[in-house]
């Protein structure tokens, strides 16, 4: 895209000139975003995490009604309390934990870094005579530390969801669901913070947020797929009439595990990117 701007300057006489300002096209912006491996991994992890979350939101009520039909009123009350209390607490505590982890992993000041590097100047060749071992550096940087929250949270959510689906009593299922929400909903803020840190160009934050928001539409396809599995026709003719607890176990639980793995890959790539920058 090309934008023409007019500007005027005056010395002895005033004259106007046209300035050509080039702004990147959408294709260029998307290519720059997708060329960043940690950014891609975080986006994929978030997409899969959306799939798990939206599936639970859409199908947990039919699940409980199928397993415990006499507890419809109790489930409505418990579900509202779980979402309001456990979900909100998890979101808040996840953000606080991520910021504290990031602060603990923050790089040292310039003076302390210089002393840790043990830099010795050689008067003849002006080169470093020694460098520290890699063990003297922090293991994780700030962005990687923030990703620990969604990694651990989604991993813990997988078995808790399995316990919810296969609980033998309503109280056990509700308790497992409460714990599942408490550990699962901590991912959103830390994932977004790490996403912004992974961007090679800070000016792409708004565009990346747009891509991130579009992933919610992709995530909403998962509940549709579960509905197809439960139906008589199946998902493209595959696995028709799947019991609801089986369909929810074998879609949500693997999604949680895959999401955690993708967040872990993003953290690894963030470390590799930092090392490459230090070498360059």
């Amino acid at each position: 895209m090309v934008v023409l701007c007019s500007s005027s300057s005056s010395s002895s006489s005033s004259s106007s000139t046209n300035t050509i300002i080039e702004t990147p096209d959408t294709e260029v912006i998307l290519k720059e975003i997708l060329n960043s491996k940690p950014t891609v991994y975080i986006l994929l992890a978030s997409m899969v995490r959306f799939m798990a979350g939206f599936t639970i939101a859409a199908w947990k009520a039919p699940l409980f009604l199928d397993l415990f039909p006499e507890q419809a009123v109790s489930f409505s009350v418990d579900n509202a309390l779980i979402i309001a209390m456990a979900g909100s607490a998890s979101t808040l505590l996840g953000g606080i934990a991520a910021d504290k982890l990031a602060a603990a992993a923050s790089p040292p000041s310039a003076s302390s870094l210089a002393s840790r590097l043990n830099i010795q100047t050689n008067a003849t060749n002006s080169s470093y005579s020694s460098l520290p071992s890699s063990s003297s550096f922090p293991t994780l940087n700030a962005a990687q530390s923030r990703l620990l929250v969604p990694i651990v949270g989604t991993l813990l959510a997988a078995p808790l969801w399995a316990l919810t689906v296969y609980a033998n009593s309503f109280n056990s299922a509700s308790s497992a669901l409460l714990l599942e929400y408490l550990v699962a909903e901590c991912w959103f803020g830390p994932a977004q913070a790490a996403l912004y840190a992974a961007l090679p160009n800070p000016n792409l934050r708004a565009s990346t947020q747009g891509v991130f928001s579009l992933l919610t539409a992709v995530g909403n396809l998962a509940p549709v797929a579960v509905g197809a599995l439960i139906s008589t026709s199946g998902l493209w003719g595959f696995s028709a009439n799947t019991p609801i607890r089986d369909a929810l176990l074998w879609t949500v639980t693997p999604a949680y595990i895959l999401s955690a793995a993708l967040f872990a890959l993003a953290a690894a790539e963030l470390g590799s990117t930092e090392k490459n920058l230090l070498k360059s």
Side-chain angles (χ1 to χ4, degrees):
M1 181 187 298
V2 178
V3 180
L4 293 178
C5 297
S6 61
S7 60
S8 60
S9 60
S10 60
S11 52
S12 59
S13 62
S14 62
S15 61
S16 62
T17 60
N18 288 331
T19 304
I20 299 177
I21 301 176
E22 293 188 1
T23 58
D25 294 330
T26 303
E27 183 180 356
V28 175
I29 292 174
L30 289 176
K31 281 184 178 180
E32 189 170 355
I33 293 173
L34 298 179
N35 278 338
S36 168
K37 283 186 178 181
T39 301
V40 171
Y41 282 135
I42 294 174
L43 289 173
L44 289 175
S46 301
M47 180 186 70
V48 178
R49 179 58 186 80
F50 279 135
M51 289 179 173
F54 292 158
T55 300
I56 292 175
W59 287 103
K60 66 176 181 288
L63 170 70
F64 273 77
L65 290 176
D66 181 69
L67 300 178
F68 315 106
E70 71 283 357
Q71 299 289 348
V73 175
S74 297
F75 169 76
S76 298
V77 175
D78 288 359
N79 184 49
L81 291 174
I82 287 171
I83 294 174
M85 297 176 64
S88 300
S90 179
T91 303
L92 176 61
L93 294 175
I96 293 174
D99 285 342
K100 288 191 173 183
L101 287 170
S106 295
S109 62
S111 58
S112 63
L113 181 59
S115 62
R116 286 171 57 190
L117 285 173
N118 190 25
I119 296 175
Q120 299 178 6
T121 305
N122 189 313
T124 57
N125 55 17
S126 302
S127 63
Y128 298 127
S129 60
S130 66
L131 288 174
S133 64
S134 59
S135 60
S136 64
F137 289 99
T139 304
L140 300 176
N141 58 39
Q144 289 176 303
S145 299
R146 283 194 171 95
L147 283 177
L148 288 176
V149 175
I151 291 171
V152 174
T154 50
L155 280 178
L156 291 176
L160 287 171
W161 176 247
L163 290 175
T164 302
V165 171
Y166 276 92
N168 293 323
S169 67
F170 174 77
N171 288 336
S172 297
S174 293
S175 298
L177 184 64
L178 171 67
L179 294 174
E180 190 272 341
Y181 263 80
L182 195 59
V183 300
E185 299 306 314
C186 64
W187 75 279
F188 193 80
Q192 281 201 316
L195 178 64
Y196 294 150
L199 288 175
N201 183 355
N203 294 327
L204 297 176
R205 287 183 178 181
S207 301
T208 307
Q209 180 61 47
V211 176
F212 185 86
S213 299
L214 283 176
L215 296 179
T216 60
V218 181
N220 274 303
L221 296 176
V224 177
V226 170
L229 290 173
I230 297 171
S231 70
T232 55
S233 57
L235 182 62
W236 295 303
F238 173 77
S239 192
N241 296 316
T242 302
I244 186 171
R245 64 177 6 170
D246 290 342
L248 291 177
L249 175 68
W250 295 111
T251 53
V252 173
T253 305
Y256 274 142
I257 297 172
L258 178 58
S259 178
L262 289 168
F263 279 129
L265 284 173
E269 284 294 334
L270 283 169
S272 300
T273 302
E274 186 179 72
K275 288 179 182 178
N276 291 335
L277 289 174
L278 288 172
K279 290 178 182 179
S280 60

